[in-house]
Amino acid sequence: MRALPIAVVAVLLLVAPVASVAAPGAASPPAESVSSTDSTLSAGSASSTDSASSVGSTPSAGSASPVAGQTSTPQIDRANLTLRTLSTPSGAETRVSTYTRGPDLGSSLGFATADADAAVETAAVVRRIERTESTVERQQQILAEINRVERAEVALNSQQANAFTAHAAGELSDRELVDELVRVSATAREYDERLDELDALAEATDGFSSPGRLDELQVALQVYEGPVRDTALATARGQSSPTDMYVASSQGAVVLATVTDGEYVREVFRTDRWDRGGGPISNDLAIEVTEAAYPETASLREPDAFGAGAVQRITIPHEFGTLRTFVSGGTEQVFVEHQRIDLAAFPDSEPVSESGDGFNVTVERTYPGGPVTVTVLDDETGDPIPNVTVTKSVGDGDSQAIGTTDAAGVVRTLSPDETYRITVVDEPRVVVVGDIEPLSTPRPIGDE
């Protein structure tokens, strides 16, 4: 649950290459690790911090990951497989858009400054407690600092919710919203690290131990992190290729999605499903809630629960990627969802094709914000055609280039939430696949 040392982050900022990143739609090189290991979901494997985290609860009996070196290979009907996903509430007025995220020196400097300030504050807190002259005073200061973080978490929640609402009302741009969410995530990580320090100080104090609410608070802080926010941070720093980002917001909810390093990455936050005053929820009940909401995903691999108090974190690493949910006590619902899905195995798509001018073009349409794969083949030989330009126009809008096809004749984009058109251009040849309708979002059971 500890973030990267701030000094390392600062060095990464200074040395990150920004001139050599690839163009949108091009194959992405492996991104350097810039996110906290706890929030990053690696396809096909559980987060290593599930067993190393300082949070006091333990995985539910019978839900631990398999022994290293063993793999789970259930018989799967891929034709009928779906990986359900949260979205904004049904019927809610939702603002939907897509923007291109690239290197951004201004945002990078702002993130680095905020990280450094928070790290300095944490170091000052630790020094002040270590210099106390009596055990009683030391205990009092530790408890006071935990109270400060608790109040700060309340402020973070308000800050994030206000950003959701401002974007939905058109008062924040996509870039401004994502930058704000990256800042919220970084701040939450620093508070999480501060709590680790306070926990260690408490354990080193005679006759004193950390209160249970410290563990609960650390789990609550994790909900502000997310894999798309991590990608946005890496991209702004020039450590990952430019990428399109799907952004959907409504009152109290946000959906972020992107394609990076061969994976579809998505995160959703729903405040209407989080009872911040709710009572505790057990590991077993949180697993049951996730299994009921995502039955197809849960059938792929046994879930693992980890948490404390009113929030439980559930992780399902499976052969197609990883699902992570956060379940709220009180509502007994999933209110945060993180997904990573291998693009080569993405199941929730339906093809539409068009031939002409020597091209055979297939568009794998999917739900709003989902990954759309465009494949361009030679109409006679069936061979892939690389280096042809592919554009997308949404509704009555102008065509925008999404990239050029790779060696496999493939380029990818994100599905809008309305009718769109894909055009393949290799002058003088042109093929248009028009009137493409996105699929319905396969929502979790109970959120239809």
Side-chain angles (χ1 to χ4, degrees), residues 321-397:
T322 308
L323 168 68
R324 171 165 291 172
T325 67
F326 288 83
V327 183
S328 168
T331 66
E332 296 182 3
Q333 292 181 315
V334 172
F335 68 99
V336 171
E337 172 195 292
H338 299 161
Q339 298 239 27
R340 285 187 179 272
I341 304 172
D342 184 352
L343 287 171
F346 187 83
D348 297 300
S349 62
E350 292 182 7
V352 292
S353 298
E354 191 70 48
S355 296
D357 266 354
F359 292 129
N360 180 276
V361 181
T362 300
V363 179
E364 295 283 346
R365 65 195 184 106
T366 184
Y367 51 80
V372 173
T373 298
V374 180
T375 305
V376 182
L377 305 177
D378 186 287
D379 199 25
E380 292 186 2
T381 67
D383 294 333
I385 303 179
N387 302 318
V388 295
T389 299
V390 180
T391 69
K392 177 176 68 177
S393 59
V394 180
D396 297 327

Side-chain angles (χ1 to χ4, degrees), residues 28-374:
S28 302
E32 296 181 32
S33 177
V34 297
S35 61
S36 86
T37 55
D38 190 62
S39 66
T40 300
L41 308 179
S42 299
S45 65
S47 169
S48 63
T49 55
D50 282 357
S51 60
S53 171
S54 63
V55 177
S57 64
T58 56
S60 177
S63 64
S65 299
V67 176
Q70 296 181 354
T71 57
S72 177
T73 55
Q75 295 299 314
I76 299 168
D77 182 1
R78 298 193 181 210
N80 295 320
L81 177 66
T82 190
L83 300 180
R84 298 174 184 270
T85 181
L86 275 176
S87 189
T88 55
S90 297
E93 186 174 342
T94 303
R95 179 186 175 191
V96 178
S97 54
T98 303
Y99 84 109
T100 300
R101 183 84 179 185
D104 189 324
L105 182 59
S107 294
S108 295
L109 290 174
F111 299 149
T113 300
D115 285 350
D117 289 347
V120 168
E121 184 179 347
T122 294
V125 166
V126 172
R127 285 196 302 271
R128 186 166 60 248
I129 293 174
E130 288 177 336
R131 291 172 181 171
T132 55
E133 296 182 355
S134 70
T135 299
V136 172
E137 183 182 0
R138 184 182 174 104
Q139 293 175 0
Q140 290 174 339
Q141 289 204 22
I142 291 172
L143 293 173
E145 291 301 330
I146 294 174
N147 287 337
R148 283 184 61 194
V149 175
E150 200 164 29
R151 293 192 298 272
E153 187 277 327
V154 174
L156 274 184
N157 182 67
S158 296
Q159 180 182 346
Q160 178 173 265
N162 289 340
F164 294 170
T165 301
H167 182 268
E171 298 168 1
L172 282 182
S173 69
D174 296 337
R175 174 182 170 276
E176 289 170 334
L177 171 67
V178 174
D179 279 1
E180 183 74 348
L181 297 183
V182 170
R183 283 190 288 269
V184 167
S185 176
T187 303
R189 282 194 187 125
E190 180 54 38
Y191 287 138
D192 192 355
E193 181 169 352
R194 188 176 304 175
L195 290 175
D196 279 340
E197 298 285 358
L198 294 172
D199 187 33
L201 289 167
E203 294 303 318
T205 302
D206 292 338
F208 187 60
S209 60
S210 300
R213 62 192 176 96
L214 185 147
D215 292 343
E216 297 176 20
L217 186 52
Q218 285 195 284
V219 179
L221 285 167
Q222 290 182 18
V223 308
Y224 301 105
E225 303 177 25
V228 181
R229 303 184 201 206
D230 292 340
T231 299
L233 176 61
T235 303
R237 287 175 169 166
Q239 297 166 326
S240 187
S241 300
T243 184
D244 286 344
M245 289 202 166
Y246 173 89
V247 182
S249 64
S250 64
Q251 183 77 27
V254 77
V255 179
L256 304 177
T258 193
V259 168
T260 181
D261 296 329
E263 291 182 316
Y264 174 60
V265 186
R266 182 179 177 100
E267 64 177 83
V268 186
F269 201 116
R270 289 274 298 273
T271 61
D272 62 304
R273 291 172 142 245
W274 187 11
D275 181 0
R276 289 180 56 80
I281 182 170
S282 69
N283 289 357
D284 289 341
L285 179 54
I287 287 175
E288 290 175 11
V289 167
T290 299
E291 287 178 332
Y294 303 85
E296 297 87 354
T297 306
S299 71
L300 300 175
R301 181 82 173 268
E302 194 168 6
D304 175 80
F306 196 87
V311 177
Q312 287 282 343
R313 186 189 72 198
I314 309 300
T315 305
I316 306 178
H318 53 86
E319 66 178 279
F320 302 104
T322 308
L323 168 68
R324 171 165 291 172
T325 67
F326 288 83
V327 183
S328 168
T331 66
E332 296 182 3
Q333 292 181 315
V334 172
F335 68 99
V336 171
E337 172 195 292
H338 299 161
Q339 298 239 27
R340 285 187 179 272
I341 304 172
D342 184 352
L343 287 171
F346 187 83
D348 297 300
S349 62
E350 292 182 7
V352 292
S353 298
E354 191 70 48
S355 296
D357 266 354
F359 292 129
N360 180 276
V361 181
T362 300
V363 179
E364 295 283 346
R365 65 195 184 106
T366 184
Y367 51 80
V372 173
T373 298
V374 180

